[in-house]
Amino acid sequence: MSVKNKITFFLPDLENTRELYYFSGGIKAGFPSPAADFDESKISLDKVLVKNHETTFYAKASGTSMIGAGIDDGDIMVIDRSLEPKNNKIAVCFIDGEFTVKRIKVTKENVFLMPENKAFQPIEITEENNLIIWGIVTYVIKKV
């Protein structure tokens, strides 16, 4: 098996977080209201995105196998290693010596690592595979 995607890992720097302005009431994507109340406060994305500080890390996605799940090449994934791998969760997996990100599919007979792009084939896990679920993807940070 050859997994062509490369995942670059980063640890969150929780000691040097920066609080940015945050519009807690939301910003409408439609016609703006002239009476809009701009209640601005501050937010630290690290504090919002990282629930378990000791078990969370970031990884940069590489490749297009998960575009249907909203994970594009170059996106930053927030991954929590303390969460239990379950059916239908998106996981960072270490399989046969290589990292990949896929959706977990559990059937009565088998476990599959499912891509979210029809150009890629599911990976059926067999007894010959060496699989470690590194963590569950909880958020995706993307450039627009």
Side-chain angles (χ1 to χ4, degrees):
M1 181 191 123
S2 176
V3 180
K4 294 181 180 159
N5 296 343
K6 179 182 174 193
I7 299 176
T8 305
F9 295 95
F10 306 92
L11 291 172
D13 182 1
L14 299 171
E15 293 180 12
N16 296 308
T17 62
R18 173 178 276 174
E19 291 187 345
L20 302 174
Y21 288 104
Y22 173 65
F23 295 96
S24 60
I27 297 177
K28 295 189 185 327
F31 187 75
S33 167
D37 194 18
F38 294 106
D39 173 32
E40 61 181 60
S41 54
K42 289 192 173 189
I43 188 172
S44 165
L45 291 180
D46 288 322
K47 291 179 183 175
V48 172
L49 301 177
V50 178
K51 301 297 183 216
N52 301 308
H53 298 149
E54 295 80 26
T55 60
T56 299
F57 57 97
Y58 302 116
K60 185 176 182 179
S62 176
T64 60
S65 72
M66 294 301 288
I67 59 174
I71 302 174
D72 296 309
D73 187 51
D75 287 351
I76 303 296
M77 300 174 289
V78 181
I79 300 142
D80 189 337
R81 296 189 69 186
S82 71
L83 298 177
E84 182 180 339
K86 295 181 181 177
N87 186 48
N88 211 33
K89 293 288 185 183
I90 297 174
V92 172
C93 306
F94 189 69
I95 181 166
D96 299 332
E98 297 186 50
F99 282 100
T100 189
V101 60
K102 298 287 182 279
R103 188 175 300 278
I104 300 169
K105 180 179 179 183
V106 180
T107 67
K108 290 181 182 179
E109 298 84 26
N110 297 325
V111 174
F112 295 90
L113 300 181
M114 303 296 294
E116 294 280 340
N117 180 337
K118 293 187 187 298
F120 294 83
Q121 296 296 314
I123 301 168
E124 181 177 2
I125 304 304
T126 66
E127 290 181 7
E128 289 80 38
N129 294 117
N130 182 7
L131 173 68
I132 298 171
I133 305 291
W134 268 76
I136 301 300
V137 177
T138 56
Y139 291 94
V140 176
I141 304 167
K142 53 177 53 268
K143 184 176 180 179
V144 292

